[in-house]
Amino acid sequence: MLKNCKLVEFHNYKDERGNLVAIENPKNLEFPINRIYYIYGVDAKEERGFHSHKILHQVLIAISGSVKIRISTNNEEEIVELNDPAQGLYIGPMIWREMFDFSSDAVLLVLASEKYDESDYIRDKNIYLEEANNYFSNNLRKIIMKSKNLNVCYVNESDADFILSLRNDKNLGKYLSVTDNSLYNQINWIKNYKNKEKKGEEYYFKAFDSEGDLGFFRLYNIDKENKVLTFGSFIMKNNHPKYAAIESMILAMEFAFKKLKMKKVLLDVRVKNEVAKNFYNRFGFKKIDENDLDEFYELTREDYDELFANNYKNFL
């Protein structure tokens, strides 16, 4: 499924009296509903849509009959047929959509997160493709840091799907805090996070190479007076290249110590997460405390400068 899109299954309460499907926010709908409309009586030869939205979130449900939805970005396209009143298609921001092949009895219900706002529409396909390139493509993202094999940029809303796929992976997310599986909430969380980024309060990074996205890390709890921050939310996709973790860590420390002028970087790791503890120890972090749940580590600027000169400068 395309980024910012997914199929949503609603429970069908079925008995001898018939069927009932209930839709409730946040139980099975990720966003609050501010607008509802439905499309019906569309000739089979007619096509509708041909637009994108900048911020709107929608769920489309064929409550009668069937309809096909062509969803696309700047470089991907998929056709989804809706023909089950207990299934919806979630479409997030910056997705081009076209509805076609309506059956004679088709009724397409649309649940929308915002009221009608013409300024939220992108109706010109050429303008959409230009904006979608900026939104989705790593090639047009501003590179914040780079190493021998990696590029690092700031996270934006188009990364929400990939973040959730990693954090909800049973293996990768085993030692992470519980993650809300809502794509809508993740996108809005990133939007709010971007405001902190602009203020220099926190930074969320994506690492990628020539083959694609690899993972994420974050710098937060930035104490500018005492020149201390916390490194965390470090996650890499399964079967990532060997260089990905070490080069991501080096770039994070370069940003913390040399751009932000920090004197110390802190991190915490679950006591049972032996792989992560071994990695941080090998990198040069020193354990300073622990409790029943976590172990706490630090790396000073002086120690990092020595490690960089002796071990890490050739990675950049």
Side-chain angles (χ1 to χ4, degrees):
M1 186 67 67
L2 268 61
K3 284 186 175 182
N4 288 7
C5 297
K6 67 178 181 178
L7 289 172
V8 183
E9 304 293 336
F10 302 111
H11 184 70
N12 184 6
Y13 298 91
K14 183 177 182 180
D15 60 25
E16 66 278 0
R17 299 170 298 170
N19 298 276
L20 185 150
V21 175
I23 301 174
E24 303 175 12
N25 168 259
K27 185 176 180 180
N28 55 12
L29 185 70
E30 298 183 355
F31 53 82
I33 301 171
N34 276 297
R35 186 170 183 244
I36 299 171
Y37 61 92
Y38 47 92
I39 301 168
Y40 69 101
V42 180
D43 189 277
K45 296 180 181 179
E46 293 293 332
E47 298 189 5
R48 298 182 63 99
F50 296 94
H51 64 265
S52 174
H53 290 280
K54 298 173 185 176
I55 65 170
L56 189 72
H57 300 255
Q58 294 180 321
V59 168
L60 282 59
I61 307 166
I63 56 175
S64 177
S66 64
V67 59
K68 292 177 181 175
I69 316 294
R70 182 183 295 109
I71 47 177
S72 61
T73 64
N74 56 315
N75 59 8
E76 294 182 289
E77 180 178 297
E78 187 169 346
I79 294 176
V80 179
E81 181 172 1
L82 297 178
N83 55 20
D84 181 353
Q87 183 184 72
L89 174 63
Y90 166 83
I91 304 178
M94 294 303 297
I95 300 295
W96 188 265
R97 80 287 311 276
E98 301 168 4
M99 293 88 82
F100 65 101
D101 200 11
F102 286 79
S103 65
S104 59
D105 59 343
V107 179
L108 182 64
L109 178 70
V110 182
L111 310 176
S113 65
E114 310 295 335
K115 295 179 180 179
Y116 176 81
D117 180 1
E118 181 60 31
S119 67
D120 186 57
Y121 282 76
I122 305 175
R123 300 186 185 275
D124 185 303
K125 187 66 177 286
N126 291 325
I127 293 175
Y128 166 75
L129 290 174
E130 182 177 346
E131 294 197 19
N133 274 330
N134 292 327
Y135 187 86
F136 289 109
S137 176
N138 283 334
N139 293 332
L140 297 176
R141 300 274 284 273
K142 181 179 179 181
I143 305 301
I144 305 303
M145 299 173 285
K146 62 192 308 180
S147 59
K148 188 173 291 185
N149 299 288
L150 290 186
N151 295 307
V152 168
C153 64
Y154 294 133
V155 162
N156 71 18
E157 297 97 303
S158 69
D159 299 314
D161 205 14
F162 185 46
I163 292 172
L164 286 180
S165 72
L166 297 187
R167 293 186 65 88
N168 288 312
D169 182 281
K170 290 183 179 179
N171 179 49
L172 298 176
K174 183 161 53 175
Y175 298 108
L176 298 177
S177 56
V178 176
T179 301
D180 185 345
N181 197 34
S182 164
L183 186 56
Y184 171 79
N185 288 342
Q186 183 68 54
I187 289 172
N188 283 320
W189 185 89
I190 292 172
K191 284 183 179 179
N192 292 331
Y193 207 92
K194 300 296 284 184
N195 292 328
K196 297 179 181 179
E197 176 190 294
K198 290 177 183 177
K199 297 176 183 178
E201 296 174 352
E202 301 185 13
Y203 298 92
Y204 202 0
F205 300 96
K206 178 174 73 172
F208 61 97
D209 63 10
S210 59
E211 299 298 316
D213 296 342
L214 295 172
F216 302 91
F217 61 87
R218 193 159 63 103
L219 301 176
Y220 58 103
N221 290 341
I222 299 174
D223 184 341
K224 296 179 181 178
E225 182 178 351
N226 295 302
K227 297 189 179 301
V228 178
L229 61 72
T230 301
F231 169 87
S233 303
F234 189 27
I235 189 166
M236 289 278 151
K237 73 176 186 178
N238 288 309
N239 302 315
H240 61 264
K242 290 182 179 180
Y243 55 76
I246 185 68
E247 292 189 23
S248 293
M249 179 61 79
I250 293 169
L251 290 174
M253 296 306 104
E254 287 287 298
F255 193 90
F257 288 126
K258 298 180 181 179
K259 181 175 178 60
L260 300 181
K261 309 299 183 184
M262 294 291 113
K263 293 181 178 179
K264 187 183 296 183
V265 172
L266 307 176
L267 65 82
D268 57 83
V269 59
R270 292 288 188 256
V271 170
K272 294 182 180 180
N273 192 349
E274 296 296 336
V275 173
K277 290 193 296 182
N278 288 335
F279 174 76
Y280 294 134
N281 277 311
R282 290 196 309 272
F283 188 87
F285 278 83
K286 295 178 181 178
K287 181 179 172 181
I288 56 173
D289 201 0
E290 67 177 298
N291 58 31
D292 292 340
L293 185 63
D294 296 307
E295 292 185 7
F296 302 91
Y297 293 77
E298 71 172 22
L299 180 64
T300 66
R301 172 67 189 265
E302 292 78 10
D303 287 342
Y304 175 72
D305 285 345
E306 183 177 349
L307 288 164
F308 181 80
N310 294 331
N311 302 326
Y312 300 138
K313 64 182 180 181
N314 291 331
F315 285 94
L316 297 184

